[in-house]
Amino acid sequence: MSKEVSEEPEHARPKDYTDPPPAPLFDVGELRLWSFYRALIAEFIATLLFLYITVATVIGYKVQSSADQCGGVGTLGIAWAFGGMIFILVYCTAGISGGHINPAVTFGLLLARKVSVIRAVMYIVAQCLGGIVGVGIVKGIMKHQYNANGGGANVVASGYSNGTALGAEIIGTFVLVYTVFSATDPKRNARDSHVPVLAPLPIGFAVFMVHLATIPITGTGINPARSIGAAVIYNQKKAWDDHWIFWAGPFIGALAAAAYHQYILRAAAIKALGSFRSNPSN
């Protein structure tokens, strides 16, 4: 007695997460929402606090180490100040503005269609203004020490070329923006929703690790708002001569990270092609 076995087609399991729709390129309607201006204020204040704490740490270390080589927090402490502040501020502002606190992060999210052009431009303006005010407060509190110890400005260290510094900024920003994309991925959020601090923690650690690697080369930029804030307030020729590196490097690194995450890891291009082929009207 023979038995027929019918195989039912396997259906793909439904996704346990939902990809948000791409943000419109130009969303003029945002300008009429209080939540938009609240987000700008959050980005301004967060970047102000970030620059105040971190640049004050840098200047304090240089003052203490000038009298005693073993004094101060050291490179490790400076890296902790930058990474720790990012962890704190992303945790505090993520639900309001997304917790960018960095024009390179905003640029990367714009390329991935996570924010509109209008929001991205206004975020970058708010971040840069916050950075300038934050460093200005540091100079106001410790003017002599600030002027005598480099003002926390990003410059290419002696013994390194501009190309080396640019490469360090590109790779460092790639690490940061790649971590941002991975930590905020909807798929990861759906499966790790029981850990509310998961996204800010790796982002802060990424900033910490990059600082350990690149402080000796450039003082670590990876954030144009941090670099322009110190350059404007310190206002010395060397800081301005090298300043282009701290915009070009982070933006190139953010572009590479956005492309890698969206088009390779998330296979956005392949999914789009598959959708195009499956559409009977094409």
Side-chain angles (χ1 to χ4, degrees), residues 178-190:
Y178 172 42
T179 304
V180 170
F181 274 110
S182 298
T184 59
D185 192 302
K187 183 186 294 186
R188 184 181 299 276
N189 286 344

Side-chain angles (χ1 to χ4, degrees), residues 33-45 93 95-97 119 123:
L33 300 174
W34 162 242
S35 60
F36 175 72
Y37 297 99
R38 182 181 62 186
L40 292 180
I41 294 169
E43 287 292 311
F44 172 82
I45 296 297
T93 60
I96 301 168
S97 65
R119 184 175 290 263
Y123 270 25

Side-chain angles (χ1 to χ4, degrees), residues 50-174:
F50 176 61
L51 266 293
Y52 168 72
I53 294 295
T54 54
V55 172
T57 302
V58 171
I59 300 301
Y61 162 65
K62 289 188 175 182
V63 170
Q64 291 174 311
S65 62
S66 64
D68 176 9
Q69 284 191 333
C70 297
V73 296
T75 300
L76 184 64
I78 292 171
W80 270 121
F82 279 88
M85 279 305 291
I86 286 297
F87 169 62
I88 292 166
L89 294 169
V90 170
Y91 179 78
C92 291
T93 60
I96 301 168
S97 65
H100 297 193
I101 322 170
N102 185 335
V105 171
T106 300
F107 179 64
L109 294 173
L110 170 64
L111 295 177
R113 299 288 302 276
K114 307 292 186 184
V115 294
S116 69
V117 171
I118 293 173
R119 184 175 290 263
V121 170
M122 294 302 291
Y123 270 25
I124 290 172
V125 170
Q127 291 156 359
C128 291
L129 290 175
I132 292 168
V133 174
V135 180
I137 293 172
V138 176
K139 183 174 181 179
I141 292 173
M142 48 176 81
K143 185 173 183 179
H144 173 70
Q145 295 90 337
Y146 178 87
N147 289 330
N149 290 281
N154 288 121
V155 295
V156 179
S158 177
Y160 293 96
S161 67
N162 285 353
T164 299
L166 180 63
E169 289 294 307
I170 291 172
I171 295 171
T173 311
F174 179 92

